[in-house]
Amino acid sequence: MSNKTLAILKPDCVRKNLIGKVVSQIQEAGFKVSGLKMVHLTEDSAKGFYEVHSERPFFNDLIAYMTSGPCVPIALEKENAVEDFRKLIGATDPTKAAEGTIRKLYAESIQENIVHGSDSDENAAKEISHFFTRKELLEINGWK
Ligand code: CMP
């Protein structure tokens, strides 16, 4: 079990002025912010990040959406981070997300679903390194 995951506050989250609310909910759930930045993904960078979905019918729309405005990648730390974060954000499809989850509260559709969360420890490590160098990340144990 790893203690790291990558969140992305997607362009719809930024456009709706929900950055603060969503970050509060994440921190109140016990996650520590180890790295955070606002970036406007290029097409190449978005395609690289979502390569695993390149054969899916929604891929082109996903790239258009993720490059439509700035987003906020956040490296998070917590025990059992990947699983606990996915519980906090809820199902990909907001109509199926549990009450009180971030997607249930704020997401419009299966595509415009406010926030991304890594789906495995292996992908969390890859995804964090897509956005952050090691030097940009605070090591939580170093804060004690
Ligand atoms: P996420 O799980 O973060 O990563 C893949 C993204 O593709 C997903 O969020 C949605 O934003 C988007 N997407 C669009 N359509 C679909 C779909 N039918 N199934 C899953 N993901 C979709």
Side-chain angles (χ1 to χ4, degrees):
M1 182 179 41
S2 157
N3 62 348
K4 295 179 201 301
T5 194
L6 181 84
I8 305 175
L9 309 188
K10 297 182 178 182
D12 53 328
C13 182
V14 175
R15 272 195 288 273
K16 289 174 164 175
N17 211 23
L18 289 170
I19 294 172
K21 278 192 177 152
V22 174
V23 171
S24 283
Q25 198 167 341
I26 292 169
Q27 291 186 304
E28 278 161 18
F31 291 87
K32 300 244 185 209
V33 173
S34 170
L36 182 152
K37 56 177 75 165
M38 184 181 267
V39 297
H40 195 144
L41 284 172
T42 62
E43 200 171 305
D44 278 355
S45 182
K47 283 182 173 167
F49 185 83
Y50 283 112
E51 199 188 347
V52 59
H53 294 306
S54 60
E55 301 301 318
R56 307 287 287 272
F58 58 81
F59 184 68
N60 287 342
D61 287 345
L62 172 61
I63 300 308
Y65 158 54
M66 288 303 295
T67 57
S68 67
C71 65
V72 179
I74 311 175
L76 294 168
E77 299 206 13
K78 182 183 183 295
E79 230 176 78
N80 203 28
V82 166
E83 201 183 318
D84 286 0
F85 192 70
R86 288 175 75 81
K87 273 191 204 142
L88 179 69
I89 65 179
T92 306
D93 180 349
T95 64
K96 296 183 182 146
E99 285 303 325
T101 59
I102 293 170
R103 285 170 171 161
K104 181 71 176 185
L105 284 167
Y106 302 120
E108 295 282 326
S109 68
I110 194 163
Q111 175 166 280
E112 302 227 346
N113 64 359
I114 294 283
V115 63
H116 168 85
S118 308
D119 65 2
S120 66
D121 291 345
E122 193 190 344
N123 283 339
K126 274 191 213 156
E127 290 178 3
I128 289 169
S129 67
H130 188 92
F131 291 104
F132 298 97
T133 64
R134 279 179 63 82
K135 278 191 175 170
E136 288 173 325
L137 297 169
L138 292 170
E139 290 295 335
I140 300 302
N141 288 333
W143 298 357
K144 287 180 184 162

